[in-house]
Amino acid sequence: MTRFDTITAHPLARKDFVLATDLDGTFLGGTDAARARCYDWINRSRGQVGLIFVTGRDPEFISELTLEHGVPRPDFVIGDVGTTIAEMGEDHSISPITALEAQIASAWGDATEKVKAALADVAGLRLQPTNFRYRLSYDMDPATFDDRAFEIVAALGLDALASDNRFFDVLPKGISKGPSLLRLLDYLGIAEDRTLAAGDTLNDLSMLTVGVPAVAVGGSEQPLLDAIEGHTNVHVAKGVGVDGIAEAIRHHNLLPQS
């Protein structure tokens, strides 16, 4: 029984392994031909392989991506940089899991307007228009960005994360992709050593370093590569995007028959 007392073991736990992957630059990365091969393999292997998207993208984007752009439908979604934890239905609808999001909602509280006001005059930040539930995200201009933004966010009791030298996310304290992934795996009864986490930027760092088999795909940003040095569970792939994921599946021996 998990600590959530909701699920003993989801059918996903009986699959050979589960791919928990970032989207931009990772599952959406690589050549058109490489993505087509990967997506076809995923679709043919759903009896063996589970799929979780772990992304900064919001649920609306993910639903559109899978409905209209030929990207395989995930079983679950960790979106909004870890602040959304949800199941995706066969109709591509995304249903948040209340038992897993309660702590996130509590940690965020009524921070939205406070953050907007506190960062309104900080140089190099432009608020993204999406109506996020438990986070705020900004486009960041590295040439003009005032890094006192980190101190402002910390003073509000929240976490700030810059990634890909162009995004600035404000998150509930202690919430990010890694902790949310572990909560979902525990909730579903999925063994951590049968999970592959894949990413390419600093907002993937927390999930690559939680201890599950992991990969920084080819083309990952240098600050991420610097940060994962010494983490033996993380394979640094040569293959870009989906080719890096395939390389890591072989490296970690997650699906020997492949």
Side-chain angles (χ1 to χ4, degrees), residues 212-244:
V212 305
V215 58
V217 299
S220 292
E221 66 169 327
Q222 190 59 47
L224 175 67
L225 297 177
D226 294 341
I228 60 175
E229 283 191 16
H231 289 274
T232 57
N233 66 299
V234 187
H235 174 63
V236 179
K238 294 180 180 178
V240 173
V242 292
D243 281 340

Side-chain angles (χ1 to χ4, degrees), residues 33 58 65 77 111 122 129 137 165 176 182 213 224 230 235:
D58 60 276
L65 181 73
V77 169
V122 175
S137 291
N165 208 30
S176 61
L182 289 185
L224 175 67
H235 174 63

Side-chain angles (χ1 to χ4, degrees), residues 1 6 58 83 105 113 134 170:
M1 177 70 69
T6 305
D58 60 276
T83 62
E113 295 305 319
Y134 310 127
V170 182

Side-chain angles (χ1 to χ4, degrees), residues 83 100-110 134 172:
T83 62
L100 300 184
E101 287 197 349
Q103 178 185 349
I104 297 169
S106 176
W108 184 250
D110 61 352
Y134 310 127

Side-chain angles (χ1 to χ4, degrees), residues 94-178:
I94 293 179
S95 303
I97 302 171
T98 303
L100 300 184
E101 287 197 349
Q103 178 185 349
I104 297 169
S106 176
W108 184 250
D110 61 352
T112 298
E113 295 305 319
K114 294 177 183 178
V115 174
K116 287 180 180 179
L119 296 179
D121 298 322
V122 175
L125 292 179
R126 185 180 70 231
L127 183 65
Q128 294 180 3
T130 304
N131 292 319
F132 300 113
R133 295 181 303 148
Y134 310 127
R135 80 185 243 219
L136 282 174
S137 291
Y138 294 78
D139 294 315
M140 182 181 74
D141 177 2
T144 60
F145 174 64
D146 184 347
D147 63 7
R148 70 187 179 92
F150 288 101
E151 297 177 3
I152 292 172
V153 171
L156 293 172
L158 303 168
D159 287 340
L161 175 63
S163 63
D164 205 21
N165 208 30
R166 61 193 179 107
F167 298 121
F168 185 87
D169 294 304
V170 182
L171 306 169
K173 188 73 175 177
I175 304 298
S176 61
K177 289 183 175 183

Side-chain angles (χ1 to χ4, degrees), residues 184-208:
L184 180 59
L185 295 179
D186 180 52
Y187 178 76
L188 298 174
I190 297 171
E192 294 179 11
D193 64 356
R194 303 306 300 167
T195 303
L196 175 66
D200 74 308
T201 71
L202 272 179
N203 76 13
D204 300 314
L205 176 63
S206 67
M207 75 163 170
L208 298 189

